[in-house]
């Protein structure tokens, strides 16, 4: 199968604009926390896997999945690895908007066999950081994400990258994250402090367990205190429980 065979205009992919987004997203404390997340993932991921595929999901909307996916992929790339960030939220994509790039072409174009050139998705900020937006919104995201075509695309991409990070929709709203779970190495679950409802979180973990999803760990986003009431979710055997602080938090 030939991927990335069609060139497109690199649109408004400007380094300054992307830097601006990253500076908004990565205050000093947050950068350190994302680096810690990177280290913890290195311990959690299977050593022998050439290119781990890390899905990022949560129970509901707005908990910080996309923010986590962008920043995690960035810190992985910063370490010199070839990293691809994919916007797999084909219902409410936000990576392109956050990174101030065009949302199309993207993943759905690859899924529909239209192809695109991998070089067009290179971030000007880091030469080894690639960002694949969602592409146009399809009528059947769940089927597409779990499809044979998706599997073939990921297998091809695995040959080109050291890490792939996929931003996914929330587990309790749609089945997309569960559909793709057999194609990925594991899932990072984002919990937003004082926002994520415990009942929803329990439901999310139940669904992940039922679908045999390999949960790599949890990120406690916008953490404000050390004795979080979400600490009990450490019990989910996951090998780390990472806190990403509120942005602008004093160090
Ligand atoms: N740690 C944080 N501190 C402050 N604001 C944050 C933090 N994390 C996320 N946000 C903001 O919260 C909003 C939702 O974040 P984000 O888009 O990452 O969530 P999401 O889980 O991907 O949402 P959706 O389910 O709609 O895709 C965004 O405006 C983002 O900038
Ligand atoms: Mg999102």
């Amino acid at each position: 199968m030939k991927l990335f065979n069609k060139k497109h205009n690199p649109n408004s992919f400007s380094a300054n604009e992307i830097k601006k987004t990253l500076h908004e997203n990565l205050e000093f404390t947050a950068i350190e926390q994302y680096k810690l997340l990177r280290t913890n993932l290195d311990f959690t991921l299977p050593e022998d896997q050439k290119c781990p595929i890390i899905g990022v999901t949560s129970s509901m909307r707005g908990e910080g999945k996309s923010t986590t996916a962008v920043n995690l992929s960035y810190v992985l790339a910063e370490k010199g690895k070839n990293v691809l960030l994919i916007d797999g939220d084909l219902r409410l994509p936000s990576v392109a908007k956050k990174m101030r790039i065009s949302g199309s072409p993207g993943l759905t174009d690859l899924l529909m066999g239209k192809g695109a050139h991998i070089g067009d998705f290179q971030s000007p900020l880091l030469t080894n950081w690639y960002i694949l937006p969602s592409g146009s919104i399809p009528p059947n995201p769940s089927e597409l994400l779990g499809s044979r075509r998706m599997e073939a695309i990921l297998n091809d991409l695995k040959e080109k990258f050291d890490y792939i990070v996929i931003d996914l929709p929330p587990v309790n709203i749609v089945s997309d994250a569960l559909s793709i779970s057999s194609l990925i190495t594991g899932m990072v679950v984002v919990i937003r402090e004082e926002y994520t409802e415990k009942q929803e979180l329990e439901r999310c973990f139940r669904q992940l367990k039922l679908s045999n999803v390999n949960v790599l760990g949890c990120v406690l986003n916008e953490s404000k205190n050390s004795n979080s009431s979400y600490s009990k979710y450490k019990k989910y055997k996951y090998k780390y429980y990472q806190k990403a602080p509120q942005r602008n938090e004093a160090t």
Side-chain angles (χ1 to χ4, degrees), residues 76-146:
L76 285 167
E78 216 187 20
K79 218 178 147 199
K81 301 290 183 187
N82 284 323
V83 182
L84 174 66
L85 168 65
I86 300 177
D87 193 341
D89 191 338
L90 302 181
R91 296 169 196 263
L92 272 181
S94 68
V95 169
K97 200 169 160 200
K98 280 190 199 310
M99 301 311 298
R100 298 185 175 96
I101 59 171
S102 164
S104 196
L107 177 61
T108 52
D109 298 274
L110 294 186
L111 286 166
M112 285 176 227
K114 291 186 191 162
H117 193 273
I118 190 71
D120 292 339
F121 299 104
Q122 186 181 43
S123 152
L125 198 56
L126 289 175
T127 52
N128 52 323
W129 187 32
Y130 291 74
I131 301 166
L132 181 65
S134 62
S136 41
I137 295 179
N140 55 344
S142 196
E143 287 79 11
L144 283 180
L145 286 173

Side-chain angles (χ1 to χ4, degrees), residues 65-76:
K65 297 176 286 299
S66 304
T67 305
T68 302
V70 167
N71 291 321
L72 172 61
S73 62
Y74 176 75
V75 292
L76 285 167

Side-chain angles (χ1 to χ4, degrees), residues 1-18:
M1 184 188 54
K2 195 155 183 254
L3 286 179
F4 308 117
N5 52 10
K6 201 178 89 183
K7 286 239 167 211
H8 80 282
N9 258 343
N11 60 64
S12 58
F13 224 36
S14 119
N16 280 344
E17 294 200 331
I18 293 176

Side-chain angles (χ1 to χ4, degrees), residues 152-172:
I153 288 170
L154 287 176
N155 283 339
D156 195 74
L157 292 170
K158 274 201 273 195
E159 298 300 316
K160 299 180 169 78
F161 290 95
D162 298 313
Y163 291 92
I164 297 175
V165 177
I166 312 184
D167 181 24
L168 291 164
V171 168
N172 295 1

Side-chain angles (χ1 to χ4, degrees), residues 223-236:
S223 167
K224 295 177 188 81
N225 55 66
S226 52
N227 284 322
S228 165
S229 63
Y230 295 86
S231 299
K232 71 172 187 157
Y233 295 100
K234 285 177 186 171
K235 77 180 179 191
Y236 282 95

